[in-house]
Amino acid sequence: MEYRKIKDQDKDEESAGNLEISRGKPNSAVLGGLSGGSPQWKRKSMVTLALTILTSSQAILIVWSKRAGKYEYSVTTANFLVETLKCALSLLALAKIWRTEGVTEDNRLNTTVDEVIVYPIPAALYLVKNLLQYYIFAYVDAPGYQILKNLNIISTGVLYRIILKKRLSDIEWAAFILLCAGCTTAQLTSNSDHVLQTPLYGWVMAIVMALLSGFAGVYTEAIIKKRPQRNINVQNFYLYVFGMIFNAIAIVIQDFDEVANKGFFHGYSSVTVVMIVNHALSGIAVSMVMKYADNIVKVYSTSVAMLLTAIVSVFLFGFHLSLAFFLGATVVSVSVYLQKVGKPQR
């Protein structure tokens, strides 16, 4: 399969990419012009921090975008605009690089079929996962879904090991399990016990969604790291073009009549626009984490962002933090520490 071909090239190319960084040669892959000569840890820290901050504000903006507890706009059109904006930002970043450095083999848009053919796969997987998301609510409520969604953490670790052949130490596996347990504990309420009574179809759909999400994330990391010196904005451009195509398909499948009758931008507000911008920047931050770090860092970043969202919600929405939240946050903190100290020596 294609991901096996990707993995075969990964080790040599990754070491070559690290050699270039160690020599301090320019690398203009980062959106916004980060210096390629910066230490690798600094670049990882910056993109991870950006992802955490952007992700923590996503849920807040989604809540603000609702009116009377409902979406007045089409969610599928918003997702399409997110992909369109990400594509446009990638092109703007490339245009800036072309003006300053010229067009090179690593930053040109011209490519081969073999390189492009892998990009539709994660877009298609995310489309199927997003469609399943609508049907799972027939079996579980929103709080139950948030708890079951933590299965993504375990699925990412398992698929990371299977697909990319990256070894995780015993301490890292323990940290992963603690992270899942901590996030789940932080989301518990007095009514959470009914999650255990979720019908079999609900559990199957939750597991399938977790596997789709994990596989899409790991596969995206694999294709982005296939060519370490390939400009990240070029890779993003092709990812987002196919994202636009598949989200257009989602509009036709789910909301065609509504969009045709009410208009593409029906129900949009200034908050909706800010939410779209936030999601677009978050998506770009995710791809950079994939490029310069890995899926493990992404999982921890988004998990910490969930806790930050809850804390900010105390001041914005009068949200009350429970004892379960503090216990869960403590477990997540221990997990982050264990993940840091438990990395195997490579």
Side-chain angles (χ1 to χ4, degrees), residues 47 51 126 156 213-214 216-222 224-225 232 239 283-298:
V47 296
L51 177 60
Y126 280 124
T156 299
S213 179
V218 173
Y219 191 89
T220 300
E221 179 183 341
I224 285 179
K225 288 181 175 175
I232 183 62
L239 278 171
I284 292 174
V286 167
S287 67
M288 288 186 173
V289 168
M290 299 286 194
K291 181 81 169 180
Y292 305 117
D294 52 42
N295 266 277
I296 307 301
V297 173
K298 187 198 81 168

Side-chain angles (χ1 to χ4, degrees), residues 186-189 306-307 309-322 325:
Q187 294 169 325
L188 292 179
T189 66
M306 178 202 71
L307 301 179
T309 300
I311 295 173
V312 174
S313 297
V314 171
F315 304 98
L316 295 180
F317 307 117
F319 181 74
H320 296 287
L321 298 180
S322 64
F325 175 83

Side-chain angles (χ1 to χ4, degrees), residues 28 30-34 89-103 107 231 233:
S28 56
V30 181
L31 180 65
L34 285 175
L89 290 174
S90 298
L91 284 176
L92 286 174
L94 278 173
K96 179 181 177 182
I97 292 169
W98 291 336
R99 284 197 305 269
T100 57
E101 302 179 12
V103 179
N107 67 29
N231 190 285
N233 297 295

Side-chain angles (χ1 to χ4, degrees), residues 52 55 150 153 179-180 182-183 186-187 296-309 332 335-336:
T52 303
T55 304
N150 291 318
I153 297 173
L179 180 65
C180 183
C183 290
Q187 294 169 325
I296 307 301
V297 173
K298 187 198 81 168
V299 166
Y300 274 91
S301 176
T302 52
S303 298
V304 172
M306 178 202 71
L307 301 179
L308 291 178
T309 300
V332 169
S335 173
V336 172

